[in-house]
């Protein structure tokens, strides 16, 4: 039982086990005094049983949907996920939640099944699937070099490797250079935006793969809009300093902040051509908080929020 619980629940849940004496004919069936240790083989059997069961479950909330951009050339495989088509059943995680941790209610096996279904739909190899390790900063991992403990960007020129940026109000960003055949992803929340994680990812592509800034295409995935995202005045000041159009109701205690506009401004200042940035159309500019039927949102759902992703890979 503990082996099943370990697979199907996270540390958010707490269980207590008790051996009970059961009446058996004329006497009592005494509890075992020995320690019952599950063998490695038994654990593997349990894991296979769970995986088989999860694969049999129907998709929830509709079909799996991937939002793509015509800006990214076909030599790359890319997309942004929505919340539909997975098997996560916790209301705020239903259904294509793509991140698990000890603080969330979705176990790894459920998220792995969601990733498997996404891989089948998108056409990438789920065994070569890498997520950022979020720190809300600007560190970038150059794949093939030593992996930092945490990072909000990844760049690579390896074929068949899918790199992903998480998002649930923060912006998942994908980068592609069809000339040097390199790509990247970045997770840009309000802190990462101000710290320049988008341009840090661009600069890593330039430094590592010899990319020309004018050849790099950038697509901003769905994120929270300025309609729903506020910050304390002292934090909003930095966005207002970047450009006044990034902030609404600046004189209020909690002004509304546009992290998408700020990201575009920083990318253009860094040399990315305006026509090589897509942050609108194809459902990319829908506010994650305003559209509960399509997206997860930390702003809307609180601490037990689900996660969508932006992903890209260089086709094999």
């Amino acid at each position: 039982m503990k082996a099943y619980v370990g697979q199907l629940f996270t540390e958010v849940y707490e269980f207590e086990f008790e051996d009970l004496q059961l009446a058996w004919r004329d006497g009592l069936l005494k509890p075992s005094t020995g320690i019952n240790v599950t063998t490695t083989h038994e654990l593997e059997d349990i894991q296979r049983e769970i995986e088989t069961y999860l694969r049999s479950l129907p998709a929830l909330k509709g079909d799996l949907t991937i939002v793509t951009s015509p800006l990214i050339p076909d030599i790359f495989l890319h997309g942004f996920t929505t919340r539909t088509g997975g098997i996560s059943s916790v209301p705020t995680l239903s259904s294509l939640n793509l991140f698990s941790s000890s603080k969330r209610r979705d176990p790894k096996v459920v998220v792995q099944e969601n990733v498997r279904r996404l891989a089948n739909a998108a056409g990438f190899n789920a065994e070569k699937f890498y997520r950022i390790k979020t720190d809300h900063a600007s560190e970038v991992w150059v794949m093939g070099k030593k992996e930092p403990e945490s990072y909000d960007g990844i760049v690579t020129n390896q074929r068949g490797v899918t790199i992903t940026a998480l998002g649930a109000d923060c912006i998942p960003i994908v980068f592609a250079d069809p000339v040097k055949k390199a790509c990247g992803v970045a997770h840009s929340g309000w802190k990462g935006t101000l710290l320049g994680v988008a341009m840090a990812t661009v600069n890593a592509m330039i430094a590592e793969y010899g990319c020309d800034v004018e050849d790099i295409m950038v697509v901003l995935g769905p994120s929270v809009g300025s309609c729903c995202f506020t910050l304390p005045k002292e934090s909003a000041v930095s966005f207002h300093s970047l450009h006044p159009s990034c902030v609404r109701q600046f004189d209020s205690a909690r002004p509304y902040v546009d992290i998408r506009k700020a990201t575009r401004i920083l990318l253009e200042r860094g040399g990315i051509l305006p026509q090589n940035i897509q942050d609108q159309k194809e459902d990319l500019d829908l506010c994650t908080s305003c559209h509960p039927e399509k997206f997860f949102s930390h702003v809307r759902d609180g601490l037990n929020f689900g996660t969508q992703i932006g992903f890209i890979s260089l086709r094999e």
Side-chain angles (χ1 to χ4, degrees):
M1 182 61 70
K2 289 181 179 179
Y4 281 98
V5 166
Q7 288 283 318
L8 291 170
F9 297 90
T10 66
E11 294 173 19
V12 173
Y13 298 90
E14 294 183 2
F15 294 86
E16 293 183 0
F17 297 90
E18 182 180 356
D19 289 330
L20 300 176
Q21 289 186 334
L22 301 176
W24 180 253
R25 293 183 182 173
D26 298 328
L28 290 176
L29 184 65
K30 294 183 179 180
S32 172
T33 56
I35 298 175
N36 185 12
V37 178
T38 306
T39 67
T40 301
H41 180 71
E42 288 172 329
L43 284 173
E44 291 174 350
D45 285 344
I46 288 171
Q47 188 169 357
R48 278 193 294 268
E49 180 186 353
I50 291 171
E51 289 174 355
T52 300
Y53 169 70
L54 294 179
R55 290 188 181 196
S56 72
L57 293 177
L60 301 175
K61 289 188 176 289
D63 295 332
L64 197 153
T65 303
I66 300 170
V67 181
T68 59
S69 166
L71 193 62
I72 303 296
D74 195 49
I75 62 169
F76 299 97
L77 187 155
H78 82 286
F80 300 91
T81 62
T82 68
R83 70 180 299 168
T84 62
I87 63 167
S88 303
S89 58
V90 176
T92 56
L93 304 179
S94 182
S95 64
L96 193 69
N97 174 45
L98 293 167
F99 182 71
S100 176
S101 77
S102 61
K103 297 179 181 179
R104 304 222 191 156
R105 295 185 180 274
D106 239 1
K108 287 183 179 180
V109 286
V110 169
V111 172
Q112 286 169 352
E113 173 58 17
N114 286 341
V115 170
R116 188 192 68 82
R117 295 186 183 205
L118 172 62
N120 286 347
F124 64 75
N125 183 353
E127 302 299 319
K128 297 180 180 180
F129 179 83
Y130 296 88
R131 300 178 183 86
I132 59 163
K133 294 182 179 178
T134 305
D135 190 39
H136 295 278
S138 59
E139 183 81 18
V140 178
W141 176 35
V142 177
M143 189 166 283
K145 293 190 174 182
K146 183 179 179 181
E147 182 180 359
E149 287 187 11
S150 60
Y151 45 91
D152 287 83
I154 309 174
V155 295
T156 187
N157 62 354
Q158 298 178 29
R159 291 184 178 273
V161 172
T162 301
I163 53 177
T164 66
L166 312 178
D169 293 331
C170 299
I171 316 170
I173 310 175
V174 301
F175 305 78
D177 180 353
V179 178
K180 295 297 185 179
K181 296 181 175 57
C183 57
V185 294
H187 159 267
S188 188
W190 73 267
K191 292 179 181 178
T193 298
L194 292 176
L195 289 170
V197 67
M199 277 308 302
T201 307
V202 169
N203 290 333
M205 293 174 67
I206 294 170
E208 296 297 327
Y209 311 123
C211 298
D212 188 323
V213 69
E214 294 185 355
D215 293 330
I216 297 175
M217 314 291 177
V218 185
V219 181
L220 280 61
S223 69
V224 69
S226 59
C227 49
C228 295
F229 186 60
T230 64
L231 284 174
K233 181 72 172 287
E234 57 269 24
S235 299
V237 167
S238 298
F239 285 92
H240 192 268
S241 299
L242 177 63
H243 198 282
S245 65
C246 295
V247 182
R248 291 188 300 111
Q249 300 181 18
F250 183 60
D251 293 331
S252 66
R254 290 190 66 89
Y256 288 86
V257 173
D258 191 337
I259 58 174
R260 299 178 69 81
K261 182 171 289 186
T263 299
R264 173 179 272 277
I265 289 170
L266 289 169
L267 286 167
E268 291 183 7
R269 289 182 183 177
I272 299 293
L273 300 177
Q275 64 268 29
N276 286 351
I277 304 171
Q278 182 176 357
D279 53 3
Q280 297 179 350
K281 300 182 180 179
E282 281 83 32
D283 284 357
L284 293 173
D285 59 344
L286 291 179
C287 171
T288 47
S289 181
C290 285
H291 293 83
E293 77 288 355
K294 283 183 176 289
F295 302 113
F296 300 113
S297 169
H298 180 209
V299 169
R300 183 190 65 236
D301 297 333
L303 292 177
N304 200 35
F305 59 94
T307 299
Q308 54 253 343
I309 64 168
F311 65 90
I312 189 167
S313 64
L314 181 61
R315 295 181 189 270
E316 291 186 289

